[in-house]
Amino acid sequence: MSENQSETAFWPVGLEKRIDRVLVIEWNDQRVQQIPFRLLRNSCLCAVCNANREKEKKQPVALGALPVISAAQAQPLDVVKMHPVGNYAYSIHFSDGHSSGIYTFEMLRSMS
């Protein structure tokens, strides 16, 4: 067990990317968790995503207006790759081009 893992009560021992766009995490206590890709993407806490959420809160939406999205955002969301960040988190790269978020084990564990 690494130093960071001894400070963290839980850590992943298995990861699976399912065809139905769900990330399955098996934790060291045998808990198995299923997190939809869209929930992962929408939960990103990076500076860009936080700024975009604040901007959306401040902009009034005109009656009947629909959001404009990019071609990448119009495609089904996929997890392109994941890699560990130290012994406490993962960096997740999404098919819409976003890759700057860091998902701590604690954050992942709290998602349902």
Side-chain angles (χ1 to χ4, degrees):
M1 183 181 319
S2 77
E3 183 178 314
N4 281 353
Q5 286 177 338
S6 65
E7 295 171 13
T8 304
F10 305 105
W11 59 90
V13 295
L15 294 172
E16 178 187 354
K17 183 178 113 168
R18 290 196 338 213
I19 195 164
D20 60 347
R21 303 186 192 294
V22 170
L23 176 66
V24 179
I25 304 174
E26 181 182 349
W27 297 92
N28 64 313
D29 65 348
Q30 285 75 47
R31 177 180 176 200
V32 176
Q33 187 175 13
Q34 299 180 26
I35 307 172
F37 294 170
R38 179 56 56 194
L39 177 58
L40 284 168
R41 179 65 182 86
N42 290 346
S43 299
C44 181
L45 297 176
C46 79
V48 172
C49 290
N50 281 335
N52 287 340
R53 279 191 282 276
E54 287 300 314
K55 182 179 173 185
E56 288 173 6
K57 285 181 192 176
K58 292 178 183 178
Q59 288 181 340
V61 178
L63 185 61
L66 298 172
V68 177
I69 59 174
S70 70
Q73 292 171 319
Q75 300 301 314
L77 187 66
D78 196 9
V79 169
V80 177
K81 67 180 174 177
M82 288 178 65
H83 59 81
V85 176
N87 289 320
Y88 70 96
Y90 285 102
S91 172
I92 303 176
H93 298 242
F94 293 94
S95 58
D96 66 358
H98 189 69
S99 62
S100 59
I102 294 178
Y103 296 78
T104 65
F105 296 166
E106 182 178 328
M107 178 184 179
L108 291 168
R109 180 91 175 182
S110 70
M111 291 183 180
S112 40

